[in-house]
């Protein structure tokens, strides 16, 4: 069965970096895109962008350029989200989500990774 | 960016009754070359990741109960739960994927009356 398992919660200080992992299993990793979605506690969903798991080409939504980097390690079927120069407002749950058969929606989701930025 | 506006922000419906959630996009999400509306619906229960319910505005994802249905076209869309069950208590989001930035609506909370 398809599973996306994300790394555990992180507590970071402002200015630090964090790298969230998303390990996929149960399907051929390079046949489905990987989306990233942010959810600030108690708030709605924000689509951050996606990465083409075949070419490694990332696409970032407006507001998620510069400090946010999507990457892959196809040898271990894992996608990564790195955030640099962390700010308090980056405190959120970050989800990876597999691109659906239509190529656009997200049909399987990771459990989410809470990143807390606090001094 | 395309702005997605859902209404209402929350609603309370009796068990077995119909729940209707609206989603309006700031511009058309209908791709005329394939006549598809680039819109999906998700359900998020407390403490869980979202779950895909509907794509192409009206196509139900595999395994989704048929009490969930999507309708609408161009800029106005609706998610209907025909007979609300206790397990349907959740926040529901629409998302457009017509533009390169795939924006979500703000969410609609559905509760039991």
């Amino acid at each position: 069965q398809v599973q996306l398992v994300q790394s555990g919660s992180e507590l970071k200080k402002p200015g630090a970096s964090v790298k969230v992992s998303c390990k996929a299993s149960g399907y051929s990793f390079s046949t489905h895109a990987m989306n990233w979605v942010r959810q600030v506690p108690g708030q709605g969903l924000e689509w951050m962008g996606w990465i083409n798991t075949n070419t490694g080409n990332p696409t970032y939504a407006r507001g998620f350029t510069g400090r946010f980097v999507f990457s892959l390690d196809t040898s271990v079927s894992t996608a990564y989200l790195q955030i640099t120069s962390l700010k308090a407002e980056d405190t959120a749950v970050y989800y990876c989500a597999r691109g659906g058969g239509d190529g656009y929606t997200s049909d399987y989701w990771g459990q989410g990774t809470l990143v807390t930025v606090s001094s | 960016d395309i702005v997605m506006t859902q209404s209402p922000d929350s609603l309370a419906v009796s068990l077995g009754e119909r729940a209707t959630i609206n989603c309006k996009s700031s511009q058309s999400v209908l791709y005329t070359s394939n006549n598809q509306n680039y819109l999906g619906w998700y359900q998020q229960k407390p403490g869980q990741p979202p779950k895909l319910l509907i794509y192409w505005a009206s196509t139900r994802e595999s395994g989704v109960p048929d009490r969930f249905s999507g309708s609408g076209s161009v800029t106005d869309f609706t998610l209907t739960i025909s007979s609300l069950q206790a397990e349907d208590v959740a926040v529901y989001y629409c998302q457009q994927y017509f533009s390169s930035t795939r924006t979500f609506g703000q969410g609609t909370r559905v509760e039991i009356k």
Side-chain angles (χ1 to χ4, degrees):
Chain A
Q1 72 282 20
V2 174
Q3 278 194 304
L4 299 176
V5 179
Q6 297 185 225
S7 48
S9 297
E10 301 267 10
L11 174 60
K12 296 291 185 181
K13 294 189 183 304
S17 297
V18 68
K19 194 169 188 177
V20 175
S21 66
C22 170
K23 183 169 177 59
S25 61
Y27 72 99
S28 179
F29 184 68
S30 60
T31 60
H32 291 260
M34 192 67 75
N35 295 295
W36 289 94
V37 175
R38 182 171 80 175
Q39 186 168 39
V40 173
Q43 297 189 22
L45 304 172
E46 293 176 273
W47 185 78
M48 301 174 65
W50 67 285
I51 185 165
N52 185 318
T53 53
N54 194 36
T55 64
N57 183 51
T59 299
Y60 301 97
R62 208 186 316 269
F64 294 99
T65 56
R67 298 189 299 114
F68 300 84
V69 178
F70 306 148
S71 62
L72 305 170
D73 184 343
T74 56
S75 68
V76 289
S77 300
T78 300
Y80 300 95
L81 163 65
Q82 183 169 16
I83 312 171
T84 59
S85 302
L86 283 162
K87 307 174 183 180
E89 51 264 41
D90 295 323
T91 295
V93 175
Y94 293 85
Y95 292 102
C96 61
R98 191 185 82 158
D102 62 357
Y104 301 98
T105 48
S106 299
D107 60 357
Y108 287 90
W109 293 64
Q111 81 276 19
T113 296
L114 174 63
V115 174
T116 303
V117 184
S118 174
S119 55
Chain B
D1 293 349
I2 298 177
V3 177
M4 307 301 291
T5 304
Q6 294 181 226
S7 62
D9 288 332
S10 65
L11 75 160
V13 176
S14 300
L15 288 172
E17 296 300 305
R18 179 184 301 261
T20 302
I21 300 167
N22 300 301
C23 174
K24 188 173 184 68
S25 57
S26 60
Q27 64 189 74
S28 172
V29 299
L30 173 63
Y31 196 39
T32 53
S33 66
N34 61 5
N35 200 37
Q36 292 283 12
N37 288 283
Y38 281 46
L39 183 113
W41 287 96
Y42 295 85
Q43 174 194 64
Q44 187 178 32
K45 297 181 180 180
Q48 296 185 18
K51 173 187 175 182
L52 177 64
L53 297 177
I54 302 282
Y55 57 96
W56 297 137
S58 61
T59 302
R60 203 177 298 114
E61 174 73 344
S62 175
V64 172
D66 61 7
R67 65 181 180 271
F68 291 93
S69 63
S71 63
S73 187
V74 187
T75 60
D76 292 277
F77 301 91
T78 300
L79 175 70
T80 301
I81 310 172
S82 61
S83 176
L84 191 75
Q85 304 300 302
E87 61 265 33
D88 301 333
V89 169
V91 179
Y92 293 83
Y93 296 91
C94 60
Q95 183 196 26
Q96 64 79 20
Y97 39 96
F98 183 87
S99 73
S100 58
T101 295
R102 304 172 194 173
T103 43
F104 288 95
Q106 81 276 16
T108 295
R109 185 176 304 276
V110 174
E111 300 172 327
I112 304 295
K113 185 187 293 182

